[in-house]
């Protein structure tokens, strides 16, 4: 089976997305997670682009250059190449990436040169870079709109000058899978005849939604290396999504006879981090990492998935490290799903009569609440205590440690944003007030003081749903002592209340985890 080299370009091409500018700390944080994801090469940036870019490529090379190969891009000019090497020299495996347009549109309209001038410029640039660094990647930009004969001359010229990797860039997402596959096949045949050690790489953009399909077609036709970004972020419609390619190769490895070294259980975490730092939401239906990617909604699908997950799942959410442990029941949830959720909480032996009664109650509350979480199930079970009194003690015991928001008040101002909460636990009621950097910070500090659980807030998100009438709060907290993560959510018409409830729900998840 062939190993496909994965270059992640989230910090270079990905950062070119409209409105995103990452600082050094943010880039290092993403780079560190890319290391955990086990990408083969981190494309750290464009050192000639700005002093900040220079500094971040330099820092990434210093901090991560002994774990992962690091690349930096340069135009085919000495100044860019010098700057790239100046940053990359701290890495054990530096890769200078020189890029130039290969289509007539790029050559004539953007570069205002002739085809011959480009050949001279690129071979001079590659020979110069080769004196500094052994590994040179040469990208032919807009290759899918280039004349094939010239494209090949250009590639041959680059290999003869010392390029070790040839990167076919579908810069504007013009390629189609079959056609792109054929192009890669032809180039690969010529390239391996010219130099069997040369590496063929592809870089696809997503303007027609085909970046992943094109990348996979390239792998099927001989590409040795691929370039992609987390969540598919990048210029315009973005780049090929790394998580999609990695999982397609994992699920269909025998078809491609290929694999990557990506640690798939780090995918979700990486996606969340990139989304959070870049401030770019991942669409709910985004393949692999979208919020709904593993949620079965229709009754028939849910019932099938409960019988056997393989009925409707080709990937399990834990394969990508999904931490979403909450079972969320909605208006679409049927009796068998409710039964499954109850049995996971330990209520396995319910009689039909009991289940019917609980289901009736469930339909009442789901109408009001929209989503029913694990701890709500205790309240549902209460509805059958009259017919099964034995359950009473068990519920009281399990419920008494859970927190319940009674009231809250926040004061928003620029000097002392503050929050007060009243929270019930069992038969005790607690009140706390706190100040913070903002009202949500104050609110969370007050709740944490009540809970007396050592937790760190890892992620907080509030978004509008149901045409802006309601807010969905989502939080991820870590238990400080073992870093175990708990994700939770809550819906309310008030954004502050949704935020508070989401946090309290996450604390309850910790308690319920202990109960289990
Ligand atoms: O899209 C593109 O052409 C690029 C190259 C620099 C590889 O990002
Ligand atoms: Zn690109």
């Amino acid at each position: 089976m062939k190993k496909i080299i994965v270059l992640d370009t989230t910090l270079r091409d990905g950062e070119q997305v409209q409105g995103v500018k990452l600082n050094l700390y943010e880039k290092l944080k993403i780079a560190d997670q890319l290391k955990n994801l086990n990408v083969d090469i981190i494309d750290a940036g464009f050192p000639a682009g700005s002093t900040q870019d220079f500094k971040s490529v330099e820092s990434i090379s210093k901090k991560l250059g002994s774990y992962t190969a690091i690349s930096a891009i340069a135009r085919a000019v000495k100044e860019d190449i010098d700057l790239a090497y100046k940053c990359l020299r701290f890495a054990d495996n530096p890769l200078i990436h020189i890029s130039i347009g290969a289509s007539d549109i790029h050559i004539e309209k953007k570069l205002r040169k002739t085809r011959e001038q480009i050949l001279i410029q690129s071979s001079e640039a590659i020979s110069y870079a080769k004196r500094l660094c052994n590994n040179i990647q040469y990208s032919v930009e807009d290759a899918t709109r280039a004349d094939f004969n010239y494209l090949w001359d250009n590639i041959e010229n680059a290999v003869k000058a010392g390029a070790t990797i040839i990167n076919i860039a579908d810069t504007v997402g013009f390629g189609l899978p079959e056609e792109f596959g054929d192009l890669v096949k032809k180039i690969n045949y010529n390239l391996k005849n010219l130099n069997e050690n040369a590496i063929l790489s592809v870089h696809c953009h997503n303007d027609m939604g085909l970046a992943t399909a094109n990348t996979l077609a390239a792998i099927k036709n001989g590409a040795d290396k691929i370039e992609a970004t987390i969540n598919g972020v990048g210029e315009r419609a973005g780049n090929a999504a790394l998580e999609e390619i990695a999982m397609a190769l994992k699920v269909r490895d025998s078809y491609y006879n290929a694999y990557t070294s990506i640690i798939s259980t780090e995918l979700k975490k990486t996606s969340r981090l990139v989304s959070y730092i870049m401030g770019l939401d991942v669409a709910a239906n985004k393949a692999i990492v979208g919020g709904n990617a593993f949620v079965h909604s229709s009754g028939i699908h849910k019932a099938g998935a409960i019988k056997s997950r393989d009925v409707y799942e080709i990937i399990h959410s834990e394969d990508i490290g999904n931490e979403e442990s909450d079972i969320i029941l909605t208006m679409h949830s049927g009796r068998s799903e409710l039964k499954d959720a109850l049995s996971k909480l330990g209520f396995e032996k319910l009689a039909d009569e009991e289940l019917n009664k609980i289901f009736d109650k469930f339909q009442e509350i789901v109408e009001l609440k929209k989503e029913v979480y694990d701890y709500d199930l205790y309240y549902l079970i209460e509805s059958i205590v009259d017919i099964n009194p034995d359950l009473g003690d068990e519920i009281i015991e399990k419920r008494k440690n859970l927190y319940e928001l009674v009231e809250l008040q926040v004061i928003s101002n620029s000097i002392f944003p503050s929050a007060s909460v009243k929270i019930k636990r069992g038969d005790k009621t607690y009140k706390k007030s706190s100040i913070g950097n903002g009202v949500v910070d104050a609110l969370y500090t007050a709740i944490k003081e009540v809970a007396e659980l050592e937790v760190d807030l890892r992620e907080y998100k509030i978004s509008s749903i149901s045409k802006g009438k309601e807010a969905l709060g989502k939080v991820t907290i870590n238990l400080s002592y073992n870093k175990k993560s708990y994700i939770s959510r809550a819906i309310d018409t008030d954004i502050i209340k949704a935020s508070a409830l989401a946090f309290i729900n996450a604390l309850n998840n910790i308690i319920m985890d202990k109960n289990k």
Side-chain angles (χ1 to χ4, degrees):
M1 215 177 265
K2 176 174 168 179
K3 147 105 191 230
I4 302 295
I5 303 165
V6 175
L7 174 144
D8 178 279
T9 184
T10 306
L11 294 173
R12 200 273 301 166
D13 213 332
E15 207 221 5
Q16 287 171 221
V17 71
Q18 170 65 25
V20 171
K21 191 76 204 135
L22 306 181
N23 62 35
L24 177 60
Y25 168 78
E26 292 167 330
K27 285 195 179 179
L28 280 169
K29 194 112 188 100
I30 292 178
D32 194 50
Q33 180 53 27
L34 292 173
K35 177 200 81 188
N36 297 339
L37 185 64
N38 211 22
V39 303
D40 300 292
I41 307 170
I42 296 177
D43 186 8
F46 174 36
S50 68
T51 322
Q52 278 156 297
D53 262 28
F54 179 90
K55 286 207 174 112
S56 55
V57 180
E58 187 184 53
S59 304
I60 292 170
S61 302
K62 282 183 180 165
K63 295 226 158 75
L64 296 160
S66 50
Y67 302 98
T68 314
I70 312 286
S71 76
I73 199 165
R75 288 164 294 194
V77 292
K78 274 186 181 173
E79 300 72 32
D80 281 23
I81 294 167
D82 283 337
L83 287 172
Y85 185 66
K86 238 176 151 177
C87 309
L88 290 175
R89 71 200 148 113
F90 302 103
D92 293 350
N93 271 313
L95 174 67
I96 296 181
H97 174 189
I98 297 168
S99 171
I100 200 158
S103 67
D104 287 338
I105 302 180
H106 273 229
I107 294 172
E108 288 161 19
K109 299 197 171 143
K110 181 175 103 175
L111 305 166
R112 297 188 191 282
K113 296 209 162 145
T114 62
R115 288 181 175 191
E116 289 65 34
Q117 284 172 318
I118 295 298
L119 295 184
I120 295 167
Q121 185 181 346
S122 49
S123 70
E124 280 177 1
I126 295 166
S127 313
Y128 179 73
K130 193 75 182 172
R131 282 187 248 142
L132 305 170
C133 177
N134 195 37
N135 297 324
I136 308 293
Q137 167 161 312
Y138 177 70
S139 282
V140 272
E141 283 177 44
D142 204 19
T144 43
R145 290 193 297 169
D147 166 65
F148 181 78
N149 291 332
Y150 175 70
L151 182 66
W152 173 249
D153 288 348
N154 196 323
I155 292 170
E156 187 176 28
N157 177 63
V159 174
K160 286 185 175 158
T164 48
I165 303 176
I166 295 298
N167 189 33
I168 311 296
D170 183 19
T171 305
V172 290
F174 181 73
L176 301 172
E178 296 78 8
E179 187 194 55
F180 191 62
D182 287 346
L183 177 69
V184 167
K185 195 177 195 163
K186 277 205 296 196
I187 294 174
N188 195 40
Y189 180 80
N190 289 356
L191 184 66
K192 297 290 155 61
N193 275 330
L194 180 64
N195 179 347
E196 60 177 5
N197 295 321
I199 293 171
L200 184 60
S201 169
V202 292
H203 174 107
C204 298
H205 277 269
N206 203 31
D207 296 65
M208 296 198 284
L210 295 171
T212 298
N214 286 337
T215 306
L216 291 171
I219 292 171
K220 188 76 184 154
N221 285 284
D224 309 296
K225 167 178 168 287
I226 62 105
E227 303 201 344
T229 60
I230 302 298
N231 301 336
V233 292
E235 287 264 1
R236 309 181 309 279
N239 290 60
L242 187 149
E243 62 278 6
E244 293 175 10
I245 297 158
M247 290 314 288
L249 289 186
K250 195 174 159 97
V251 174
R252 303 298 306 272
D253 56 348
S254 54
Y255 178 76
Y256 288 104
N257 202 20
Y259 69 98
T260 69
S261 296
I262 294 297
I263 298 173
S264 71
T265 47
E266 291 292 322
L267 282 170
K268 183 71 183 192
K269 196 170 168 191
T270 318
S271 160
R272 295 175 85 91
L273 182 76
V274 168
S275 159
Y276 180 66
I277 290 183
M278 290 193 166
L280 297 172
D281 281 349
V282 173
N285 63 336
K286 164 83 183 61
I288 316 296
V289 291
N292 289 348
F294 298 96
V295 177
H296 303 283
S297 178
S298 83
I300 295 175
H301 279 220
K302 277 177 176 170
I306 285 168
K307 282 184 196 132
S308 169
R309 296 173 76 192
D310 297 342
V311 176
Y312 286 110
E313 285 183 15
I314 53 163
I315 302 167
H316 300 318
S317 79
E318 60 272 20
D319 299 343
I320 60 144
N322 215 341
E323 296 155 334
E324 211 113 358
S325 60
D326 232 6
I327 300 163
I328 302 164
L329 299 166
T330 66
M331 276 185 260
H332 303 293
S333 304
R335 206 176 300 258
S336 59
E337 205 190 336
L338 178 66
K339 187 175 172 203
D340 185 57
L342 289 164
S343 76
K344 282 193 179 134
L345 274 192
F347 300 102
E348 286 139 341
K349 293 185 186 120
L350 295 168
D352 283 353
E353 185 200 357
E354 291 170 341
L355 190 64
N356 288 346
K357 210 165 168 202
I358 296 173
F359 190 61
D360 290 345
K361 189 84 188 160
F362 164 74
Q363 286 186 311
E364 259 173 50
I365 73 161
V366 81
E367 187 88 13
L368 299 169
K369 285 189 58 155
K370 296 219 161 65
E371 291 186 348
V372 169
Y373 307 110
D374 279 4
Y375 29 85
D376 294 319
L377 297 178
Y378 293 136
Y379 296 88
L380 291 178
I381 297 264
E382 272 186 355
S383 64
I384 56 160
V385 170
D386 55 337
I387 51 174
N388 187 347
D390 290 349
L391 285 173
D393 292 345
E394 193 179 342
I395 297 164
I396 292 168
E397 190 51 38
K398 284 191 167 164
R399 256 187 53 185
K400 78 172 185 233
N401 291 326
L402 300 184
Y403 296 101
E404 194 185 324
L405 179 69
V406 183
E407 258 175 65
L408 71 84
Q409 189 189 51
V410 293
I411 300 172
S412 170
N413 60 41
S414 53
I415 316 169
F416 292 121
S418 61
S420 304
V421 290
K422 191 167 161 190
I423 290 174
K424 229 177 99 184
R425 189 184 198 199
D427 44 20
K428 289 203 179 106
T429 303
Y430 304 84
K431 289 182 196 166
K432 281 274 179 223
S433 295
S434 190
I435 53 167
N437 292 329
V439 285
V440 175
D441 185 43
L443 186 62
Y444 283 6
T445 308
I447 297 172
K448 267 207 279 190
E449 280 173 19
V450 170
E452 288 176 348
L453 274 170
E454 283 300 316
V455 294
D456 306 307
L457 178 67
R458 223 178 78 191
E459 197 181 330
Y460 159 73
K461 202 153 127 191
I462 190 94
S463 42
S464 133
I465 55 169
S466 61
K467 294 194 182 140
K469 285 192 207 127
E470 285 169 315
L472 170 69
K474 257 187 129 179
V475 298
T476 308
I477 56 177
N478 277 354
L479 263 178
S480 308
Y481 75 94
N482 64 2
K483 300 277 175 260
K484 184 163 180 190
S485 295
Y486 293 84
I487 298 176
S488 199
R489 43 197 270 153
I491 295 174
D492 200 88
T493 45
D494 180 316
I495 55 169
I496 299 297
K497 194 161 169 209
S499 308
L501 289 172
F503 195 75
I504 290 175
N505 288 350
L507 296 174
N508 283 338
N509 277 348
I510 295 179
I511 293 162
M512 296 206 2
D513 196 22
K514 286 186 184 153
N515 278 349
K516 278 180 203 161

